[in-house]
Amino acid sequence: MPIVELHVLEGYDSTEKRRLGEALTDAVRFVVPAAPDAITVMIHELPADQYFRGRSPRSPAPARPDPARFVRDYLAAMERRDLDAAKAMLGDDFTMQFPGAAPMTQLEELIAWSKPRYNFVTKTYDRFDAMQSDGAAALVYCFGTLSGEWLDGTPFSGIRFIDRFEIEGGKITRQDVWNDMAEVKANA
């Protein structure tokens, strides 16, 4: 039964501490074959005035936003075509890659690229997987199915997709998309 103890400065709210506990549980499970309820995580808070580094008291760093929630909010803005809200979530060096397309850096490019392919598309999500990369980026994968309408008005549904996002500095810097849309369309 693994036990993990974490010491943090006071200042993180209960949601942030819960995220820490879940992430530490998942990290242990990545290496140790233990069920989640067999792993104990204890978070100890230390008042900021009792912690010194280099003879100076320190404050806790602000928690990063939940990357899966951030991606979900971005995808919701895209689906409702709130491009201003979606653009505000993108980094200056944002790039996206869709099947059969050259890399794109602007949401307007995506809309122009998709216009001759379908009238609209919506996503149903099965799950979101979030993790930290070796570098600065948080990675989020979302899995699910696409539904929508082809250009001739025929509906489609159940098309598998996976999206992969990189988030750095609170902004999405990369999106890669894989789906079975071309295969389904070819066999329709």
Side-chain angles (χ1 to χ4, degrees):
M1 179 168 124
I3 298 173
V4 178
E5 290 192 56
L6 174 67
H7 297 263
V8 297
L9 291 176
E10 279 183 339
Y12 295 105
D13 68 28
S14 60
T15 300
E16 294 160 345
K17 288 185 276 189
R18 180 176 182 85
R19 286 178 53 212
L20 274 168
E22 290 172 353
L24 289 169
T25 298
D26 292 344
V28 169
R29 292 182 68 221
F30 198 70
V31 177
V32 177
D37 60 353
I39 299 166
T40 301
V41 175
M42 292 182 275
I43 299 176
H44 305 282
E45 291 185 293
L46 185 64
D49 65 354
Q50 294 179 20
Y51 172 81
F52 293 84
R53 188 175 66 226
R55 297 184 179 173
S56 299
R58 304 295 176 158
S59 298
R64 292 179 174 170
D66 179 348
R69 177 82 258 158
F70 190 75
V71 165
R72 197 180 276 269
D73 291 346
Y74 165 76
L75 292 169
M78 287 297 294
E79 189 167 314
R80 67 178 183 270
R81 287 296 187 247
D82 186 349
L83 296 185
D84 290 336
K87 286 179 188 178
M89 302 173 88
L90 304 178
D92 293 337
D93 57 346
F94 172 72
T95 185
M96 59 187 145
Q97 182 75 55
F98 281 72
M104 296 176 262
T105 60
Q106 303 293 318
L107 297 180
E108 292 82 4
E109 292 175 280
L110 172 60
I111 292 168
W113 175 79
S114 63
K115 194 168 192 146
R117 289 169 170 70
Y118 47 79
N119 289 327
F120 70 90
V121 67
T122 60
K123 293 181 175 185
T124 301
Y125 304 107
D126 292 337
R127 75 177 198 263
F128 286 76
D129 293 341
M131 64 208 71
Q132 182 64 42
S133 71
D134 289 348
L139 305 177
V140 177
Y141 289 84
C142 65
F143 303 78
T145 56
L146 303 172
S147 302
E149 184 178 274
W150 299 119
L151 292 175
D152 66 2
T154 304
F156 63 83
S157 63
I159 299 175
R160 298 179 310 161
F161 80 88
I162 297 174
D163 290 354
R164 178 187 181 274
F165 294 87
E166 294 180 17
I167 302 168
E168 291 186 57
K171 300 284 186 175
I172 297 170
T173 58
R174 182 170 182 85
Q175 178 182 5
D176 292 293
V177 175
W178 296 272
N179 63 52
D180 293 335
M181 191 171 276
E183 288 78 4
V184 170
K185 178 68 171 164
N187 294 318

